[in-house]
Amino acid sequence: MHSRSSISDAGVVALGEGLPRLTTLCIAGSERITDHSIRVVGARCFQLCHLSLPYCRNLTDRAFDTIASTQLTSLDVSGTQVSGSLNDNLLRVKDGDLCCDWCSMLTDALVDFVLSRPHLLRVNLVGCSLPRASWIRFAEQAATANIKSVDISY
């Protein structure tokens, strides 16, 4: 069981505004943060490399629309409402890592996102249920990607 974070949108916004050189942000299990606060962090923190937001259940793809950092190498959105329709600027640098474990809203858009990232090395989709056709397309086209590690355990 994941712990519940007491941080709120206001607290995350304050972090984003007060720490513009932030490189790593980890918030786990907060049901009090929304897309708004992550959008503020994304717009203000240009050096963000690692963003880990597992089980922040109110987050959707829109949370990542304003990520301005071109250095983001690691994104963990496990247990969120992300569907995979993510900002095209995300994870474009070497040695990328994407974790979408237990995301129940994933769609074929995630497959498009993953396959369009030439430097994405690790993809975790533990407990995810994509349509069968999406899994097949992912498996068939993954050979053209540079992915080295895939975890699709259940």
Side-chain angles (χ1 to χ4, degrees), residues 50-68:
H50 307 282
L51 185 56
S52 180
L53 304 163
Y55 301 95
C56 293
R57 299 195 187 279
N58 291 321
L59 297 181
T60 70
D61 300 288
R62 290 195 34 88
F64 310 98
D65 286 351
T66 62
I67 300 285

Side-chain angles (χ1 to χ4, degrees), residues 42-81:
R44 305 267 170 108
C45 301
F46 291 95
Q47 296 176 16
L48 201 58
C49 296
H50 307 282
L51 185 56
S52 180
L53 304 163
Y55 301 95
C56 293
R57 299 195 187 279
N58 291 321
L59 297 181
T60 70
D61 300 288
R62 290 195 34 88
F64 310 98
D65 286 351
T66 62
I67 300 285
S69 174
T70 57
Q71 301 174 44
L72 192 69
T73 59
S74 176
L75 179 62
D76 185 347
V77 293
S78 298
T80 65
Q81 295 182 43

Side-chain angles (χ1 to χ4, degrees), residues 8-119:
S8 66
D9 264 353
V12 175
V13 167
L15 284 173
E17 290 174 345
L19 299 170
R21 293 186 304 190
L22 193 68
T23 59
T24 301
L25 178 61
C26 301
I27 304 170
S30 178
E31 294 183 5
R32 298 178 63 205
I33 65 167
T34 66
D35 293 348
H36 168 72
S37 59
I38 301 306
R39 290 170 60 89
V40 170
V41 168
R44 305 267 170 108
C45 301
F46 291 95
Q47 296 176 16
L48 201 58
C49 296
H50 307 282
L51 185 56
S52 180
L53 304 163
Y55 301 95
C56 293
R57 299 195 187 279
N58 291 321
L59 297 181
T60 70
D61 300 288
R62 290 195 34 88
F64 310 98
D65 286 351
T66 62
I67 300 285
S69 174
T70 57
Q71 301 174 44
L72 192 69
T73 59
S74 176
L75 179 62
D76 185 347
V77 293
S78 298
T80 65
Q81 295 182 43
V82 165
S83 71
S85 297
L86 296 166
N87 180 338
D88 195 48
N89 294 324
L90 293 175
L91 300 173
R92 289 271 182 201
V93 296
K94 290 187 176 181
D95 300 333
D97 188 1
L98 175 64
C99 186
C100 295
D101 295 346
W102 302 103
C103 287
S104 61
M105 306 293 284
L106 293 179
T107 66
D108 202 43
L110 177 75
V111 175
D112 294 334
F113 179 81
V114 168
L115 294 175
S116 68
R117 299 296 175 277
H119 300 294

